[in-house]
Amino acid sequence: MKKILELMEQELRAAFTACGYEEKFARVVLSNRPDLCEYQCNGAMAAAKAYRTKPIDIANAVVEKLTAPKELPVFEEAVAVMPGFINLKLSETFLVDYMAGMAAADKLGLEEPEKKETIIVDYGGANVAKPLHVGHLRSAIIGESIKRMGRFMGYEMIGDVHLGDWGLQMGLIIEELRDRKPELVYFDETYTGEYPTEAPFTISELEEIYPAASAKSKADEAFKERAHQATLKLQKGYKPFRAIWDHILAVSVADLKKNYSSLNVDFDLWKGESDAEPYIDDMVQMLTERGLAYESQGALVVDVAEESDTKEIPPCLIRKSDGASLYATSDLATIVEREQDFCPDRYIYVVDKRQAMHFEQVFRVARKSGIVKPDTKMIFLGFGTMNGKDGKPFKTREGGVMRLEKLIADIDEAVFARIMENRTVSEEEARETAKVVGLAALKYGDLSNQASKDYVFDIDRFISFEGNTGPYILYTIVRIKSILGKYKDNGGCVSSLAAEKKILPAKGVSEKALMLQLAKYSEVLENSFAETAPHKICQYIYETANAFNSFYHDTKILSEEDETQKDSYIGLITLTKRVLETCIGLLGIEAPERM
């Protein structure tokens, strides 16, 4: 099903070419003066320069073609306005026909992409042996929404958590475990049996072991050196340390999956930096043989600067002088692995914007070396910081980094208190509803901001049932559900409503405004994904909720005596519900039955 703008432009192209002008001038946009018209075409202004004709003459000629009698006119009104604008209002009949098409179509009329690209979304970035904290929030929920959007559009989306599971932190944990539990068989060099299947620590113990080991390494050089040696032995495949490492991964990943699940976030791949390790040596050799990697002050680097650069782009450091790999090495090797496994058409990295330079260097090496094809898109979606009301990165009252599960619990409790103020439901139901609404408040509060910008985490504003918030959106959906429930209780048929209820031309301004808002659906979804911009979906949801609520306040839906008209209203609000529920689903949000 074509987007509504495409259908309008189709009409304009025919009109422009019929008048002897190129169809490229037939672009339609939303009106910036909705009090005058719904859409407008400014092509006559540009055409006037190309054809050396007055723009108003071109506009008048095009309008004459547009207003010629047709069986199903697209425009109710087309007017040429000085100095050459074309103001457009959609035909009521055409708009209703478009609503019916959306209601009957799969995915509400969203078209499948011409090419079903395979797209890797790299998001999450948690470290094993450490709890998720608020710093992991944005990557997880922005990445999840991008993955869901692309999958809904029809692309092959592959989400990878890309765990930090390699390096010195592993050696620190191993040596701290040795100091605490020297009797474990992993530290008995004479032991030759099978290693235990059960981990010698719980997730709580593990999360306490790492910070203790890290602090000890800063005060004890001997311990730090032991940790380095343990890391080297692990990376060379020393069996006892590999067994401990397997335990660390198993315990950590199980806990991470639980915590990500509480955010309604999941991943197709649970790979980590360790998975890239087998690819590093061959990759470094390839870079060297192709003359790209060279030695500089003992380290191995690749020049990535280009003549068109407006700022300095330093060489990409591939290996340190002591032979150690770096994040760039691991990230490049991960791309090598992904190319072998999936050969993706596009990469999207959802990472803190402060890592922009790092990924610019990595992407350039990947292109320059031929690790990826020249036409492979590599997108860095850098996000800003979640700040407290003081404008600084969000902290606990004690000044520490807040655990993510604590943040979720806090917002759930705040929503629960707000629900219980009215006391219209049981405490048990309020608790369950608070989890759904709290998650919506948290995710919508984040996603409604442009990803690259910092924002202030304000729990009172996020949980408000008014304004551009998650609870307001959910309340609107629940209001529609309530109307449909009452309609059913009064004997109305609610099965396959969208297909059964014929939507009639709008009777009032707010009804048509709602239809026009729903008609933007496909355009918004396609643009939001193309620009990796979930905030645009949020803005569309908010405007749609506002349009529905205006219609609701202007219209007596259930008390309408004309059954045909009532059916039309029911069909329209059912379509509205489907649009809203589809869009919040793309953000990883669900709506409760009651609030």
Side-chain angles (χ1 to χ4, degrees):
M1 183 175 172
K2 289 185 178 180
K3 298 188 288 292
I4 199 159
L5 279 178
E6 288 179 336
L7 294 172
M8 285 190 275
E9 287 182 350
Q10 188 173 292
E11 290 289 304
L12 267 293
R13 284 196 295 271
F16 267 89
T17 53
C19 295
Y21 306 113
E22 290 183 77
E23 64 177 29
K24 69 179 182 180
F25 298 112
R27 185 165 176 265
V28 177
V29 295
L30 273 171
S31 171
N32 56 14
R33 287 290 306 276
D35 55 319
L36 298 178
C37 60
E38 295 159 356
Y39 294 89
Q40 62 191 66
C41 173
N42 304 329
M45 309 292 285
K49 294 179 182 179
Y51 291 92
R52 297 184 179 181
T53 306
K54 289 180 181 179
I56 192 63
D57 291 343
I58 296 175
N60 278 321
V62 170
V63 164
E64 187 177 344
K65 298 294 182 184
L66 291 175
T67 53
K70 293 186 179 106
E71 185 177 340
L72 180 61
V74 173
F75 301 108
E76 176 185 301
E77 187 177 280
V79 180
V81 180
M82 289 292 289
F85 301 117
I86 300 174
N87 290 351
L88 305 166
K89 283 189 178 180
L90 282 178
S91 152
E92 296 276 5
T93 309
F94 170 77
L95 185 56
V96 163
D97 189 60
Y98 194 82
M99 293 294 101
M102 285 183 66
D106 186 38
K107 296 183 181 180
L108 297 161
L110 183 73
E111 289 189 322
E112 292 281 307
E114 291 183 10
K115 180 186 178 184
K116 293 194 175 183
E117 296 181 20
T118 297
I119 302 172
I120 297 277
V121 187
D122 187 314
Y123 65 109
N127 292 307
V128 300
K130 297 180 185 178
L132 286 178
H133 57 74
V134 293
H136 296 111
L137 178 68
R138 301 212 71 191
S139 177
I141 64 176
I142 295 170
E144 179 70 16
S145 66
I146 296 296
K147 183 191 72 178
R148 287 172 179 242
M149 288 160 61
R151 191 166 287 166
F152 187 73
M153 297 282 295
Y155 295 107
E156 179 67 30
M157 305 297 292
I158 302 168
D160 188 356
V161 68
H162 197 66
L163 295 168
D165 65 349
W166 211 232
L168 182 60
Q169 71 192 72
M170 297 297 108
L172 288 168
I173 293 169
I174 290 169
E175 288 306 307
E176 179 66 16
L177 191 63
R178 183 200 297 274
D179 287 353
R180 295 183 180 206
K181 300 181 179 182
E183 73 282 0
L184 293 175
V185 294
Y186 311 96
F187 306 118
D188 181 356
E189 294 184 4
T190 65
Y191 183 77
T192 57
E194 293 296 318
Y195 292 100
T197 56
E198 189 172 334
F201 41 70
T202 64
I203 185 63
S204 298
E205 291 172 326
L206 186 59
E207 290 175 353
E208 190 272 325
I209 286 172
Y210 174 71
S214 179
K216 187 187 290 187
S217 70
K218 294 171 184 174
D220 186 341
E221 279 296 324
F223 178 79
K224 186 176 181 179
E225 180 56 29
R226 280 167 49 198
H228 275 294
Q229 294 304 315
T231 302
L232 288 173
K233 291 178 77 172
L234 168 67
Q235 294 180 351
K236 288 180 180 178
Y238 182 54
K239 191 174 179 182
F241 290 0
R242 281 289 176 129
I244 295 175
W245 181 70
D246 286 339
H247 289 316
I248 294 171
L249 280 182
V251 170
S252 291
V253 169
D255 187 65
L256 287 170
K257 285 184 176 180
K258 181 188 74 174
N259 280 284
Y260 277 123
S261 177
S262 68
L263 282 174
N264 212 2
V265 169
D266 61 30
F267 301 90
D268 304 288
L269 303 176
W270 284 83
K271 287 183 173 286
E273 293 168 352
S274 60
D275 290 286
E277 190 71 15
Y279 298 87
I280 288 178
D281 287 343
D282 287 347
M283 181 193 71
V284 172
Q285 184 178 344
M286 177 271 291
L287 292 172
T288 306
E289 288 176 351
R290 293 185 182 179
L292 298 173
Y294 65 93
E295 194 172 299
S296 174
Q297 298 179 346
L300 202 62
V301 302
V302 175
D303 286 331
V304 293
E306 298 173 357
E307 288 185 9
S308 58
D309 290 337
T310 56
K311 62 180 179 180
E312 183 182 358
I313 308 291
C316 184
L317 189 59
I318 302 297
R319 267 192 173 155
K320 294 167 70 175
S321 56
D322 62 1
S325 297
L326 297 104
Y327 283 124
T329 326
S330 174
D331 285 333
L332 282 165
T334 298
I335 295 173
V336 171
E337 180 188 18
R338 288 168 174 169
E339 285 292 315
Q340 290 187 14
D341 291 348
F342 305 108
C343 196
D345 302 283
R346 197 185 315 188
Y347 290 87
I348 302 174
Y349 286 76
V350 186
V351 191
D352 190 309
K353 66 182 180 182
R354 290 170 291 191
Q355 295 191 42
M357 178 61 75
H358 164 79
F359 280 99
E360 181 62 32
Q361 291 173 311
V362 168
F363 293 170
R364 290 189 180 193
V365 174
R367 291 194 185 98
K368 193 173 183 180
S369 63
I371 292 174
V372 299
K373 300 182 292 295
D375 58 348
T376 300
K377 300 172 189 171
M378 306 198 79
I379 299 165
F380 174 76
L381 179 53
F383 55 80
T385 308
M386 184 177 89
N387 295 327
K389 291 182 180 179
D390 60 359
K392 298 177 181 178
F394 190 81
K395 301 281 187 181
T396 62
R397 290 180 180 176
E398 295 74 32
V401 178
M402 182 177 281
R403 292 177 67 138
L404 197 51
E405 61 185 350
K406 175 68 166 59
L407 181 72
I408 294 171
D410 284 353
I411 203 164
D412 286 355
E413 191 62 34
V415 172
F416 171 73
R418 183 67 57 87
I419 293 173
M420 292 303 288
E421 286 175 4
N422 298 325
R423 193 72 188 189
T424 57
V425 296
S426 68
E427 185 171 329
E428 182 181 1
E429 183 178 348
R431 287 282 178 199
E432 290 304 310
T433 302
K435 290 179 183 178
V436 177
V437 179
L439 184 59
L442 180 63
K443 297 182 84 168
Y444 190 90
D446 186 301
L447 293 169
S448 58
N449 296 279
Q450 188 172 336
S452 62
K453 294 184 178 179
D454 300 344
Y455 75 91
V456 173
F457 178 81
D458 183 344
I459 194 168
D460 293 327
R461 181 171 64 85
F462 281 16
I463 68 170
S464 173
F465 282 56
E466 297 177 355
N468 190 10
T469 69
Y472 170 70
I473 304 303
L474 297 194
Y475 188 75
T476 300
I477 295 171
V478 169
R479 171 174 275 171
I480 299 174
K481 287 182 177 182
S482 175
I483 296 169
L484 295 176
K486 290 175 182 176
Y487 176 75
K488 180 181 178 183
D489 292 342
N490 291 329
C493 175
V494 296
S495 61
S496 305
L497 282 171
E500 292 180 3
K501 306 300 182 187
K502 183 178 180 182
I503 301 173
L504 301 174
K507 289 184 70 177
V509 173
S510 61
E511 186 176 3
K512 187 176 184 184
L514 176 58
M515 291 182 185
L516 288 169
Q517 183 63 24
L518 296 176
K520 300 175 190 174
Y521 162 84
S522 292
E523 189 89 22
V524 169
L525 262 57
E526 288 188 15
N527 289 344
S528 298
F529 183 70
E531 298 172 24
T532 54
H535 73 280
K536 293 196 169 184
I537 289 184
C538 291
Q539 186 61 32
Y540 174 68
I541 293 171
Y542 178 54
E543 291 172 358
T544 303
N546 283 341
F548 165 76
N549 284 313
S550 293
F551 166 68
Y552 169 77
H553 288 299
D554 290 349
T555 310
K556 294 180 179 179
I557 299 172
L558 294 179
S559 60
E560 172 61 52
E561 294 182 359
D562 184 327
E563 290 300 323
T564 303
Q565 184 63 57
K566 184 190 293 186
D567 278 357
S568 172
Y569 291 153
I570 292 297
L572 181 60
I573 68 171
T574 300
L575 180 59
T576 304
K577 172 175 166 286
R578 286 179 61 196
V579 167
L580 288 172
E581 287 184 327
T582 297
C583 289
I584 65 169
L586 300 181
L587 305 179
I589 296 171
E590 300 171 351
E593 290 304 311
R594 298 198 301 171
M595 283 175 67

